[in-house]
Amino acid sequence: VKQELEDAPMLTVNLNQSFHIKEEVDDELPEEEEEELEEDPLGEIELEEEPVLEPVSLVQLEREFVLDDSACLTAIKEKSRPQYSKAWANFRAFFDNSADFDARVPSEAELMDYFRHLRTEKLFSSSSMWTTYSMVNSVVKEKYGASLRQYEHLRDLIRSYDVDVKRKAQVFTMEDIQAFLGRAELSEPYWMVRKTIITLAFFGGLRHGEIMGLKLENFRSSKDGVHVVHDRCRKQGADNMQRESKFLVPRIATGRVDYADIVESYVERVHRNLGKVQGRAFWTGRKDTFVNQPVGKNSIAYIPQEMAKLLGKENVTKYTYTFNSLRYSLASAAADNGAVAYQMANFPGWNESLVSE
């Protein structure tokens, strides 16, 4: 056994190559092998120098071609594409030389000018600024193969606006609601649809997105008033629908405002002018009639401000009087009539009773 082990080949490790097995041999190589090594010495092989990498700039990241606007937007999800398209179109419309962007990436100075404009003239909040930045950056990535993240001064500029304090909407009193709805001179179709929206938003505690989602078939009249069925959402926006909810617009038989009659008169007039009994609830009113054009979301969002101006309120802006003003008004009126925080939170769809408190 000892003799066999001595005759066996040895396992050696070469750190520069893979494992291999070789037998012990004399240090001297045969003459022929020595000559071959001398004819091809390693020292005569010339190695190329490693190139020094320059810092990558935004321009160097560009592709050799630039996609047109329609082609680059196809890479964005179809559901979100209109918002991204609008954000990019608004960006281009700000510049007289926007045609240059068909061949080059917008410069950092140009982008900073645009975002200053959004803040100082368009009064964008910091969150809206970041949303716009994200959408423009997505288009730039697809169009040029570049990223705005390398524009540090631009990001610093937007960060400097992260000091916004969230504004709280003002509250309408019950007397304000009655004063607006009871104005007899506001009887044209233009005001009929607005009074109906205010009535529904107040008694239902509806958000803007929930108002937009109402259908004519959601309304049913009875001796008690108008029963309304709708989808309650936890967060603002029609994409966050959670559960079915119901509320009653009461019928008042005294000399005060008949809230149910406001809704019923509107529905009857829309049926008479447009022949509609189902589908979208709110239609554009002119001086003498309704026209076959839905009321837009921006027009609906502006209605609380219209009401506040007619009532002579001070400091009326899109932040001070919103649909939240009507939700807060509902909570305030409910509290005056003995409702507890849990009841108020459960009905308007707030996440916690603390919000209603």
Side-chain angles (χ1 to χ4, degrees):
V1 172
K2 180 178 179 181
Q3 184 63 38
E4 288 178 359
L5 289 174
E6 290 176 354
D7 294 339
M10 294 178 62
L11 179 65
T12 63
V13 178
N14 186 328
L15 296 178
N16 295 322
Q17 299 179 9
S18 59
F19 293 107
H20 65 282
I21 297 175
K22 70 175 184 178
E23 295 185 4
E24 284 187 324
V25 295
D26 295 336
D27 292 338
E28 296 183 2
L29 295 175
E31 293 182 2
E32 294 181 1
E33 294 186 15
E34 288 183 13
E35 290 177 1
E36 289 179 5
L37 289 175
E38 289 176 359
E39 289 175 1
D40 186 23
L42 183 62
E44 293 182 5
I45 300 176
E46 295 183 4
L47 298 177
E48 295 182 2
E49 293 184 2
E50 252 184 67
V52 178
L53 297 178
E54 297 291 338
V56 180
S57 69
L58 181 60
V59 175
Q60 288 174 320
L61 285 177
E62 296 178 22
R63 293 186 297 256
E64 295 181 358
F65 61 91
V66 176
L67 296 177
D68 60 38
D69 290 352
S70 58
C72 71
L73 287 168
T74 58
I76 296 170
K77 291 182 179 180
E78 186 175 358
K79 184 178 180 181
S80 306
R81 198 173 300 158
Q83 289 88 346
Y84 284 75
S85 177
K86 183 178 180 181
W88 181 247
N90 289 341
F91 171 74
R92 294 194 60 148
F94 178 72
F95 297 96
D96 294 332
N97 64 332
S98 62
D100 295 351
F101 301 151
D102 292 330
R104 67 169 177 85
V105 179
S107 69
E108 185 169 31
E110 289 169 329
L111 284 153
M112 291 178 71
D113 287 343
Y114 179 64
F115 279 91
R116 288 192 191 98
H117 159 74
L118 293 183
R119 179 66 173 189
T120 59
E121 297 182 35
K122 295 296 185 180
L123 303 179
F124 272 35
S125 65
S126 60
S127 60
S128 297
M129 299 272 284
W130 283 114
T131 300
T132 303
Y133 170 87
S134 176
M135 290 191 289
V136 170
N137 188 33
S138 295
V139 176
V140 167
K141 286 180 181 179
E142 298 299 333
K143 186 175 181 68
Y144 307 100
S147 172
L148 299 185
R149 292 185 64 85
Q150 297 182 57
Y151 285 158
E152 284 298 330
H153 294 300
L154 172 62
R155 293 170 61 82
D156 290 341
L157 174 68
I158 301 176
R159 286 193 194 101
S160 70
Y161 299 137
D162 290 344
V163 293
D164 293 344
V165 177
K166 193 168 184 179
R167 304 171 179 89
K168 184 176 180 180
Q170 298 297 311
V171 178
F172 292 111
T173 65
M174 194 66 194
E175 289 73 22
D176 290 334
I177 302 291
Q178 291 176 350
F180 173 72
L181 298 178
R183 295 184 67 162
E185 70 274 19
L186 304 180
S187 58
E188 299 172 351
Y190 177 90
W191 289 110
M192 288 181 70
V193 64
R194 280 155 176 77
K195 284 185 175 182
T196 300
I197 289 172
I198 290 293
T199 302
L200 294 168
F202 175 73
F203 284 102
L206 302 182
R207 299 176 175 89
H208 178 260
E210 293 167 341
I211 279 284
M212 292 289 296
L214 288 177
K215 307 293 183 184
L216 287 171
E217 59 266 30
N218 294 149
F219 308 145
R220 181 179 62 83
S221 294
S222 74
K223 62 182 180 61
D224 298 318
V226 177
H227 301 265
V228 182
V229 179
H230 74 103
D231 289 323
R232 175 70 70 193
C233 56
R234 288 289 183 186
K235 297 180 181 179
Q236 187 170 0
D239 293 334
N240 297 293
M241 297 306 180
Q242 295 289 325
R243 58 185 174 83
E244 186 179 90
S245 183
K246 301 177 183 179
F247 65 91
L248 174 70
V249 178
R251 191 180 305 283
I252 305 298
T254 64
R256 292 183 298 172
V257 178
D258 189 340
Y259 305 107
D261 183 65
I262 291 174
V263 178
E264 290 171 338
S265 297
Y266 165 76
V267 172
E268 188 276 330
R269 187 68 179 270
V270 167
H271 176 61
R272 178 154 43 96
N273 291 162
L274 303 177
K276 296 185 181 296
V277 294
Q278 61 181 10
R280 297 186 65 155
F282 305 115
W283 299 88
T284 300
R286 303 298 188 201
K287 184 176 181 179
D288 299 317
T289 188
F290 285 96
V291 296
N292 192 28
Q293 178 182 342
V295 182
K297 64 178 183 179
N298 293 330
S299 296
I300 289 179
Y302 183 66
I303 290 174
Q305 297 172 61
E306 285 187 286
M307 175 178 166
K309 289 178 180 178
L310 281 171
L311 294 173
K313 299 290 185 180
E314 296 180 355
N315 189 30
V316 178
T317 70
K318 65 179 181 179
Y319 303 109
T320 54
Y321 289 95
T322 68
F323 275 89
N324 275 336
S325 298
L326 298 166
R327 284 164 59 78
Y328 298 155
S329 302
L330 169 68
S332 178
D336 290 342
N337 284 277
V340 298
Y342 173 78
Q343 292 171 313
M344 289 186 287
N346 186 53
F347 176 64
W350 282 310
N351 290 335
E352 299 176 2
S353 60
L354 181 62
V355 178
S356 56
E357 291 172 0

